[in-house]
Each structure stands twice: as structure tokens, then as C-alpha cells.
Amino acid sequence: MLIAGLTGGIASGKSTVSGFLKEAGAVIVDADKIARHVVQKGQPAWQKIVDVFGSSILLPDGEIDRSLLGDIIVKITMVDSIPPAPSGKFPFTISKVSPFRH
């Protein structure tokens, strides 16, 4: 049995290629679908995410606002990648970037 991984950026043709592979008889395991499932309301990861980021990341139906969460994570990642200012301190605090960070 051959196992292959398919990766690529946004709009790079992953869905098209996986469709061709599926038509040819391949079994497709879609990591994006799995990632969406494990963070659905009622799943253990959902509670952990809400515990860390707070209920303000939830949609009215209680599901996680994945777009908002993604924006927050990008901001946190950006802050973490900023080198310290010459004084040894960040030029701003994380709480000013994201009110969701504890």
C-alpha cells in the first residue's frame, strides 16, 4: 500500500488533485475536515480552546469562530516573533494586541 501526503498553499489545487486521486480509487483522509471536527462544540478540544481564549471567540450557536480564532493566533504568533527592543522589553504588551490572551 502506498501512503502519500498532499500539501500546498491556499488555492494551489489540493482539492483538485485529491479529487483525481479519489476517482482513481485512493482513500482520502482530509486533515482539514478532521481539524474542524475535533474543535466542534462538545469535543474535548473545544473546551480547552474556550478555556484559553474565552467565550468571546464563540459564535451565537456556541461553535468556535474559526476565523476570529485564526486572527488571534496570527497576532499572537506575530508578537512572539518580534525581537525584544534594545531595552530588553517588547515595545508593547500582548494584552494590547489580544484581549483574549491570559
Side-chain angles (χ1 to χ4, degrees):
M1 170 179 23
L2 173 67
I3 298 175
L6 179 60
T7 66
I10 296 171
S12 62
K14 298 180 300 292
S15 295
T16 301
V17 171
S18 67
F20 291 147
L21 293 170
K22 187 174 182 177
E23 287 177 11
V27 174
I28 306 298
V29 177
D30 189 329
D32 288 336
K33 288 181 182 177
I34 295 168
R36 284 190 291 275
H37 173 74
V38 300
V39 299
Q40 287 178 336
K41 186 176 179 181
Q43 297 293 328
W46 177 92
Q47 187 60 57
K48 289 178 182 180
I49 292 168
V50 174
D51 289 346
V52 171
F53 293 97
S55 61
S56 58
I57 63 158
L58 299 177
L59 295 167
D61 65 359
E63 294 293 343
I64 292 172
D65 184 335
R66 293 170 53 86
S67 177
L68 175 60
L69 181 59
D71 289 346
I72 293 166
I73 291 171
V74 166
K75 288 177 184 175
I76 291 170
T77 302
M78 289 173 58
V79 168
D80 288 345
S81 68
I82 297 171
S87 67
K89 297 179 181 177
F90 281 116
F92 49 85
T93 63
I94 290 174
S95 63
K96 290 182 181 176
V97 174
S98 174
F100 307 103
R101 184 86 186 245
H102 295 287

